[in-house]
Amino acid sequence: MKKIAILTSGGDAPGMNACIRAAVRTALHKGLEVYGVERGYYGLVNNEIFKMDTHSVCDIIQRGGTFLRTARCVEFKEPATRKIAADNLKKLGVEGLVVIGGDGSFTGAKLISDEQGINVVGIPGTIDNDLAYTDYTLGFDTAVNTVLWAINSLRDTMTSHDRVSLIKVMGRHCGDIALYSAICGGAEFALVPEVQYDIENIANQIKNNMQRGKMANVIVLAEGAGNETEIAAVIKGIAKCDVKITTLGHVQRGGSPTMADRMLAARFGHQAIEALLSGETNRVIGIKNNEIVDLDITEALSQKKKIDLKLYEICSELN
Ligand code: ADP
Ligand code: F6P
């Protein structure tokens, strides 16, 4: 293999830039020619492909987002569109493709590999940490740290005013952002989609907390675990308290990546190139017990993500 390309796809995540840098520099170091694809599969189909050198990835390790940009490209679900994309790579002589994204992006990568013979390697880049085969995805650590910053600030003002803070965080169907930030931020409650909860029971616990003098209570609510307005109404009705809702939104997707995400980025990017050079295709990179692993895309996607119930128990017992 002499030439490879790299793209970012789906929602952006802090650490994507650091990972692009790691993959590009590793590939150049090993004598490969490297191309960047702008706007994910959209750019692959529309030929937004440019040659990269070592300077192309200068001054990006610390930046959130992805300088290659990203997009959601519905047309890529069509085989004819994937053929156009593959032809654009073949015209340049590119044989290997690194895809940084989530499970949707990996599905697209597998299809273009199976149908068009492009060697693909996926790197998990999403703040959601919703892929079962890897302990962590790129961007999760930074997103949780952003939530922690918000919890700290909200706790200050909620304590001053004897209020309840209901903080809605991202994660799609996965409660990891909520659970990790609740444990590390000392929140009283974490509401996640994977575990059923009884909001009246929680409201009564808050009422008891207030009766014994604990006036400020923090609840971290994962998206997909309930409606914040309805939850706040039940708590207000039972605990007779002031509940302030804060939806953190896309602030969680940006920001300078943490040390943990930069280290993951370096290790994932490096391993992706080694996998391509050893002739592998349909592989995804991950981390298990602090060891970098790579496994078949289909096998990786067949694993079902579960919440860590031990962590959930810890969260409940520490509140
Ligand atoms: P993520 O990669 O974060 O899960 P998406 O699910 O939005 O994000 O997928 C990103 C892109 O991957 C989509 O816009 C599309 O181009 C491609 N993709 C997703 N699912 C498929 C699929 N079933 N077949 C082909 N391409 C897909
Ligand atoms: O997958 C990352 C994520 O931020 C999810 O947590 C969230 O549900 C979704 O993307 C938001 O997508 P968009 O940026 O398209 O609003």
Side-chain angles (χ1 to χ4, degrees):
M1 184 169 307
K2 299 260 187 314
K3 299 183 186 183
I4 64 143
I6 181 162
L7 60 81
T8 48
S9 169
D12 65 352
M16 280 185 165
N17 276 327
C19 194
I20 296 165
R21 173 182 178 273
V24 169
R25 294 249 165 109
T26 304
L28 292 170
H29 182 77
K30 293 180 186 296
L32 295 173
E33 214 170 274
V34 186
Y35 290 83
V37 182
E38 292 185 303
R39 299 183 177 81
Y41 293 129
Y42 176 87
L44 206 53
V45 176
N46 291 284
N47 218 359
E48 295 181 14
I49 305 171
F50 66 101
K51 193 159 174 212
M52 297 174 94
D53 61 26
T54 193
H55 297 293
S56 312
V57 290
C58 278
D59 196 22
I60 62 166
I61 194 170
Q62 77 283 20
R63 297 184 198 282
T66 161
F67 93 107
L68 286 178
R69 301 175 198 270
T70 182
R72 293 196 163 102
C73 174
V74 185
E75 300 77 25
F76 204 72
K77 293 186 179 173
E78 302 299 325
T81 311
R82 291 194 290 272
K83 179 166 186 330
I84 295 170
D87 286 347
N88 286 336
L89 290 176
K90 286 174 187 171
K91 270 181 242 155
L92 291 168
V94 171
E95 295 166 284
L97 179 65
V98 177
V99 172
I100 309 177
D103 54 354
S105 305
F106 290 172
T107 304
K110 182 189 150 39
L111 289 169
I112 199 174
S113 172
D114 290 350
E115 295 163 1
Q116 303 296 332
I118 305 288
N119 286 23
V120 298
V121 173
I123 294 177
T126 163
I127 63 165
D128 297 339
N129 209 36
D130 58 351
L131 296 167
Y133 79 90
T134 180
D135 290 342
Y136 295 107
T137 57
L138 205 52
F140 171 69
D141 185 75
T142 307
V144 170
N145 277 289
T146 302
V147 177
L148 288 178
W149 169 85
I151 292 178
N152 293 343
S153 294
L154 288 164
R155 170 83 71 185
D156 289 344
T157 174
M158 297 300 147
T159 303
S160 305
H161 288 266
D162 296 336
R163 282 171 170 160
V164 171
S165 180
L166 179 59
I167 307 167
K168 187 172 180 189
V169 302
M170 281 186 166
R172 209 169 291 224
H173 308 297
C174 178
D176 276 19
I177 294 178
L179 181 59
Y180 281 64
S181 55
I183 292 174
C184 300
E188 277 68 28
F189 304 96
L191 309 183
V192 296
E194 299 90 339
V195 182
Q196 273 207 330
Y197 61 88
D198 177 348
I199 193 61
E200 291 185 4
N201 180 272
I202 288 171
N204 278 311
Q205 287 185 55
I206 291 172
K207 189 176 169 188
N208 290 341
N209 285 349
M210 291 182 148
Q211 280 166 356
R212 64 180 174 86
K214 184 175 176 30
M215 305 305 285
N217 287 266
V218 173
I219 306 167
V220 184
L221 168 68
E223 77 173 304
N227 177 283
E228 57 276 26
T229 313
E230 290 168 16
I231 291 170
V234 176
I235 296 170
K236 277 181 196 170
I238 292 177
K240 309 282 180 247
C241 58
D242 192 5
V243 183
K244 294 291 178 194
I245 299 170
T246 306
T247 301
L248 292 183
H250 287 81
V251 70
Q252 296 159 94
R253 286 253 294 272
S256 184
T258 56
M259 179 280 276
D261 274 330
R262 294 184 200 198
M263 187 59 83
L264 265 193
R267 296 175 77 190
F268 282 172
H270 192 269
Q271 181 63 30
I273 300 305
E274 292 206 325
L276 278 179
L277 277 176
S278 63
E280 292 187 299
T281 186
N282 278 335
R283 306 297 285 179
V284 281
I285 311 297
I287 186 161
K288 275 278 173 196
N289 304 319
N290 205 27
E291 293 286 333
I292 298 297
V293 294
D294 72 83
L295 64 163
D296 180 74
I297 293 184
T298 310
E299 190 191 327
L301 292 180
S302 71
Q303 296 180 22
K304 193 160 164 37
K305 171 82 183 179
K306 295 191 190 106
I307 198 105
D308 185 332
L309 289 174
K310 188 72 194 171
L311 288 183
Y312 188 80
E313 181 191 330
I314 290 172
C315 186
S316 309
E317 292 182 8
L318 296 188
N319 78 35

